[in-house]
């Protein structure tokens, strides 16, 4: 069993204190500014209201001021819902912000309309960043932004070591079959009612991401060759969906009583009502800080087959530069500063996020200060970009609704997936 997470908060606090005193010396490639006589430059940077992100961004600005004193960066913070709408309006004006913090899924909408400035070092970024993380920032052979984080929801699960010990399980499952057998041993019931879920893959994210991953782990794909249409009418897609439904109806290691309610599976886990719950590493901080739970850890999830445990992922948060910015070169210099390994490492530690930058993920200092995410970091090389979803919310909703209809015996797997394929492809065609 891995160690529990009681000491994570202390480690992160120690890392934060240590990093607070770190800054680049200014002797690397892009950061040769600060010479007397340079004209003052003001950059406007829009971000969403995430406390850890905002504080990490402020520290980056402080560090940049030391090497580029003539550059002033006006950090403007907006509530998430307002932020999404403000970007859509502002980017179509003649005076948008110079730099915007965007979620990777949104970027293609703006690149297609010619609103973003291509990265001057696109080839370098492609080499430095995991493909799943940078995929959303690419369009028509060019790179249009720099992701800071790897938005991973696959490859690992929250779990309670004590429940494993009580069930007589003394090692991590090495195969999918072992995972299911462990889940059965961990499931507890009061009559027909499940009181502790053995393996709970029923959140909106986990349903979609594991459906796609189980297809890919069979050596198949859910896109056609040019990623203009999805293909769910395949034996691999049917087997993947059937496996997720079987967790409820055959293996009976979870149920759908909370599906569609505000009670997310990770919340159920932190209430002690499930033993294993696949979830993104962001839930670790939620457990410690919001639910005040310490006696859990984060375990790897084995592949569905004997193939590598590949999975799909959305590109996470990163920075883009407006095409209309009068200071686009200065804006990109700051964005490149953010990508330098020391700065990227500090940002990921301060935000408790998973690195998009390969060198940071491989840096021993990262896992020394964030040991709880080891399972997630080890899974990163298996990640693939999820693809051009066009309307992310609709794409997810169709798959979730299909899963629920099949699990409730309202349709069969084959018929349900055919309809899902048709509905999503109709949306994709309309968005092209």
């Amino acid at each position: 069993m891995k160690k529990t997470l009681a000491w994570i908060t202390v480690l992160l606090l120690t890392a934060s204190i240590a990093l607070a005193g770190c800054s680049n010396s200014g002797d690397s490639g892009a950061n040769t500014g600060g010479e007397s006589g340079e004209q003052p430059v003001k950059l406007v940077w829009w971000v969403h209201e995430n406390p850890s992100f905002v504080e990490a961004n402020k520290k980056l600005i402080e560090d940049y001021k030391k090497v580029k004193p003539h550059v002033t960066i006006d950090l403007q913070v907006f509530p998430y819902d307002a932020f999404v709408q403000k970007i859509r309006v502002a980017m179509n004006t003649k005076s948008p912000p110079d730099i915007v913090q965007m979620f990777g899924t949104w970027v293609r909408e703006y690149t297609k309309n010619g609103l973003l400035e291509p990265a001057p070092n696109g080839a370098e970024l492609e080499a430095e960043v995991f493909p799943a993380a940078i995929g959303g920032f690419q369009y028509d052979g060019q790179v249009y932004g720099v992701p800071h984080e790897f938005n991973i929801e696959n490859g690992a699960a929250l779990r309670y070591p004590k429940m494993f010990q009580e069930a007589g399980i003394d090692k991590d499952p090495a195969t999918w079959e072992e995972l299911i057998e462990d889940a059965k041993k961990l499931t507890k019931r009061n009559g027909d009612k499940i009181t502790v879920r053995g393996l709970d893959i029923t959140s909106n994210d986990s349903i979609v991401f594991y459906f796609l991953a189980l297809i890919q782990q069979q050596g198949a794909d859910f896109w056609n060759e040019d990623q203009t249409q999805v293909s769910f009418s395949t034996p691999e897609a049917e087997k993947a969906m059937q496996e997720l439904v079987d967790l409820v109806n055959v293996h009976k290691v979870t149920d759908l009583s909370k599906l569609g309610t505000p009670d997310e599976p990770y919340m159920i886990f932190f209430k002690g009502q499930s033993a294993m719950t696949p979830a993104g590493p962001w839930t670790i901080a939620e457990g410690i800080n919001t639910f005040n739970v310490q006696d859990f850890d984060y375990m790897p999830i084995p592949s569905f087959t004997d193939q590598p445990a590949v999975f799909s992922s959305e590109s996470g948060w990163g920075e883009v530069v407006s095409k209309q910015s009068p200071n686009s070169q200065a804006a990109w210099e700051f964005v490149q500063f953010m990508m330098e390994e020391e700065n990227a490492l500090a940002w990921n530690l301060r935000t408790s996020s998973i690195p998009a930058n390969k060198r940071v993920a491989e840096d021993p200092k990262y896992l020394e200060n964030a040991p709880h995410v080891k399972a997630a970091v080890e899974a990163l090389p298996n990640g693939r970009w999820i693809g051009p979803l066009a309307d992310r919310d609709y794409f997810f909703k169709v798959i979730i609704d299909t899963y629920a209809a099949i699990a409730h015996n309202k349709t069969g797997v084959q018929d349900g997936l055919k309809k899902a394929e048709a509905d999503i492809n109709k949306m994709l065609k309309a968005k092209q």
Side-chain angles (χ1 to χ4, degrees), residues 291-311:
F291 292 88
N292 197 30
V293 176
Q294 305 287 339
D295 59 337
F296 69 97
D297 68 7
Y298 203 52
M299 61 171 276
I301 294 286
S303 175
F304 184 50
T305 66
D306 59 2
Q307 301 295 312
V310 295
F311 62 91

Side-chain angles (χ1 to χ4, degrees), residues 77-95:
V77 183
F78 303 94
Y80 178 82
D81 291 338
F83 182 59
V84 175
Q85 297 304 318
K86 283 183 74 67
I87 294 174
R88 286 178 178 161
V89 174
M91 295 302 284
N92 285 284
T93 69
K94 293 183 178 180
S95 56

